[in-house]
Amino acid sequence: MQRYCFLTNRILFSLKEINFVVTNGKENSIMKINIHDLRESNEFLNILLDNVNSAIFLIDPSIRITSINDAFTNVFQNENSHILGELCGNALGCSYSVEEKKDCGETSYCHKCEFRESLLSAFIQNIPVDRQLLTREYYIQGVKTIKYLQYSTRLIHFNGQEMALVIVDDITNLEEQRLALAKQNEMLTDLNEQKNLFLGIAAHDLRNPIASIKGLTELMLEIHDSLKPDETIEFLQMMSSASVHSLRLINDLLTISKIEAGKLDLKKEKVNYADFLKGVLKINQFFARNKQMTLNLHIGENIPQIDIDKDKIGQVLDNLISNAIKYSYQGTNIDVVVEFKNNQVVTHIIDQGQGIPQDELPLIFHEFQKTSVKSTGGESSTGLGLAIVKKIVERHGGKISVKSEVGKGSDFFFSIPTELQFENLIHS
């Protein structure tokens, strides 16, 4: 490896100037020179430079590297034979030089490369650079790697030659940690804003039913002596409906908070999905009949057993079916269609309801997002049901989506991978 001989030679030359004075053509010794000590100083300086953590190198006016220290190879991990005498970008493994197979100074990026501009300015205008940040992609041992660097440049004159001294510090680890911390802070800020949004919307949605219960209770206390039995029952039914809505919202909030915190444990078991669906539909048939709707089940061939949390997938199905009932008209059909394709069990809930405007579809699986579509029977919504459904399906390794057209109805469908595919998904 070529050492920093120019520096050590400069030291020797300066010491000779100090220690010898030319008088009348004769050299008079003023003090003795210990050549052994000077050689040791030279070696010490080389050792010092090679043990600096910063990559230190010299370039000539053609931007070719002439000298390096050991730390250079630690930072850029290139062989010495591919460094000395090479153009700077080529020696460092600049991604543009490698990918375009062009020399440094000829790539499509060179005209806007701030690092190259700094090196040229050091020679042309003698402008030093102090601790400038540089983010670039380099090929390190054949692998494209992003590097976060901090560099300084200085112009040096010695023995009639101009050289630029470049000192580079690799701050990649620190910068990656800073970026990761910044991303975490951004996520925490988003979560905090989301929490405040949740609290605001939840408080708003809870206020109305609780206010209704309070008002109805106070009214009953005032006029209970004059209330007829059927009027009392009507009051109690309104209070019950308001209580159910409040309890549903609180349960949904607790469920989604568990999911977000990663505390929603799945108790999976292998089930016959066709039989499981029949049981779920029995419960929902009652609600469909109340709105004079027909709930149909269509099961395809060769539906395999799958590992699911029965309670959670039951919650998914109940939510999707109840939504189909809620937003459809009396006398219409709701079809639950199950098929097995591409190692996935896919369940469709297809209604003949109002449909959802296309511009509202991307938001319907987000928390507290309600569409402009109104329920046909005055049913209420918490705005959390579909968000919970999406998270439960994804926790099972599946996906959920929707196809809808205003005036023609909607098709909500979700997939659950078979056991083999889901295991492969986990291991990958």
Side-chain angles (χ1 to χ4, degrees):
M1 179 182 298
Q2 186 172 344
R3 304 299 187 184
Y4 283 86
C5 295
F6 81 97
L7 287 175
T8 52
N9 287 338
R10 178 66 181 178
I11 292 172
L12 290 169
F13 180 75
S14 299
L15 286 172
K16 286 180 181 179
E17 285 182 327
I18 294 171
N19 293 319
F20 290 93
V21 176
V22 178
T23 304
N24 297 325
K26 295 182 180 180
E27 295 180 349
N28 294 327
S29 177
I30 296 177
M31 64 174 60
K32 294 182 180 180
I33 299 298
N34 191 325
I35 301 300
H36 177 72
D37 289 343
L38 288 176
R39 287 174 179 170
E40 285 189 348
S41 298
N42 185 6
E43 293 175 3
F44 175 76
L45 183 58
N46 284 329
I47 292 172
L48 183 64
L49 292 171
D50 283 337
N51 282 276
V52 173
N53 290 328
S54 302
I56 302 175
F57 58 98
L58 289 170
I59 60 169
D60 62 19
S62 65
I63 316 298
R64 292 183 183 275
I65 294 179
T66 60
S67 297
I68 62 173
N69 69 338
D70 284 347
F72 183 98
T73 54
N74 293 333
V75 173
F76 297 100
Q77 298 180 26
N78 203 345
E79 296 179 8
N80 296 339
S81 59
H82 297 156
I83 298 173
L84 298 178
E86 292 289 338
L87 291 166
C88 183
N90 299 48
L92 301 184
C94 171
S95 61
Y96 294 96
S97 293
V98 174
E99 292 172 359
E100 297 180 15
K101 297 180 179 179
K102 292 182 179 180
D103 285 335
C104 175
E106 298 178 357
T107 74
S108 60
Y109 185 78
C110 286
H111 69 283
K112 55 183 177 181
C113 175
E114 63 273 27
F115 185 50
R116 178 178 173 81
E117 181 65 26
S118 297
L119 299 180
L120 291 173
S121 297
F123 286 104
I124 299 172
Q125 302 176 23
N126 193 12
I127 299 176
V129 171
D130 286 314
R131 303 178 69 80
Q132 184 75 29
L133 293 177
L134 174 65
T135 303
R136 289 288 296 276
E137 288 181 323
Y138 296 98
Y139 276 86
I140 308 296
Q141 294 185 340
V143 179
K144 193 175 184 179
T145 307
I146 188 167
K147 283 278 191 181
Y148 298 93
L149 306 172
Q150 199 170 54
Y151 69 94
S152 303
T153 63
R154 287 289 187 280
L155 183 64
I156 295 175
H157 295 273
F158 179 67
N159 281 349
Q161 295 182 354
E162 286 186 338
M163 293 166 284
L165 175 67
V166 186
I167 303 174
V168 179
D169 291 306
D170 188 352
I171 59 171
T172 300
N173 289 338
L174 289 174
E175 187 65 13
E176 287 177 346
Q177 291 175 10
R178 187 192 69 79
L179 292 173
L181 184 60
K183 186 175 182 179
Q184 289 178 352
N185 288 336
E186 184 179 351
M187 289 175 60
L188 288 173
T189 300
D190 291 342
L191 287 173
N192 188 55
E193 292 177 355
Q194 191 177 48
K195 178 207 69 177
N196 292 335
L197 177 64
F198 278 12
L199 290 175
I201 295 175
H204 178 270
D205 284 2
L206 282 171
R207 181 176 59 187
N208 291 337
I210 292 176
S212 298
I213 295 171
K214 182 177 181 293
L216 290 168
T217 303
E218 291 174 348
L219 182 59
M220 287 186 69
L221 288 172
E222 289 179 8
I223 63 173
H224 68 279
D225 291 337
S226 61
L227 284 176
K228 297 177 182 180
D230 58 339
E231 291 176 330
T232 301
I233 291 174
E234 184 179 357
F235 271 85
L236 291 174
Q237 286 177 336
M238 287 189 290
M239 292 167 63
S240 175
S241 176
S243 300
V244 168
H245 176 75
S246 299
L247 183 60
R248 185 186 304 121
L249 177 56
I250 291 171
N251 287 335
D252 283 350
L253 283 169
L254 290 173
T255 299
I256 205 162
S257 65
K258 285 182 179 179
I259 295 172
E260 293 291 351
K263 296 180 179 179
L264 185 69
D265 296 326
L266 298 181
K267 299 177 181 178
K268 294 196 299 179
E269 58 182 294
K270 193 176 292 294
V271 301
N272 184 311
Y273 191 60
D275 291 341
F276 171 71
L277 276 173
K278 292 174 184 177
V280 172
L281 261 66
K282 274 186 181 179
I283 300 172
N284 286 279
Q285 287 285 4
F286 171 77
F287 300 106
R289 284 198 297 268
N290 282 347
K291 292 187 73 172
Q292 300 175 10
M293 297 177 183
T294 302
L295 186 56
N296 304 308
L297 177 61
H298 308 275
I299 300 176
E301 297 180 354
N302 303 319
I303 304 298
Q305 291 188 332
I306 53 176
D307 280 342
I308 59 172
D309 184 316
K310 292 172 64 175
D311 290 339
K312 298 300 185 292
I313 295 300
Q315 186 178 353
V316 169
L317 290 164
D318 286 339
N319 190 290
L320 295 177
I321 294 172
S322 65
N323 277 354
I325 295 171
K326 187 185 300 182
Y327 295 102
S328 295
Y329 298 105
Q330 290 185 352
T332 57
N333 295 325
I334 296 172
D335 296 309
V336 178
V337 180
V338 184
E339 57 184 344
F340 178 59
K341 61 179 182 180
N342 300 326
N343 294 323
Q344 307 246 359
V345 174
V346 185
T347 307
H348 297 259
I349 291 85
I350 305 169
D351 64 52
Q352 299 172 335
Q354 305 168 68
I356 304 169
Q358 292 298 310
D359 61 339
E360 297 179 8
L361 289 178
L363 300 176
I364 61 174
F365 292 109
H366 294 186
E367 293 86 350
F368 291 114
Q369 295 294 330
K370 299 179 182 180
T371 68
S372 59
V373 182
K374 304 299 181 182
S375 60
T376 56
E379 300 95 335
S380 60
S381 171
T382 66
L384 289 171
L386 289 177
I388 293 173
V389 162
K390 181 176 185 290
K391 294 179 186 298
I392 291 175
V393 169
E394 289 177 348
R395 282 293 304 275
H396 280 78
K399 295 182 180 179
I400 186 168
S401 189
V402 59
K403 294 179 181 178
S404 188
E405 187 175 348
V406 174
K408 293 186 178 181
S410 302
D411 175 11
F412 282 83
F413 55 97
F414 66 92
S415 61
I416 300 293
T418 59
E419 181 179 2
L420 178 60
Q421 181 173 350
F422 187 51
E423 288 299 320
N424 290 338
L425 182 64
I426 292 176
H427 293 305
S428 63

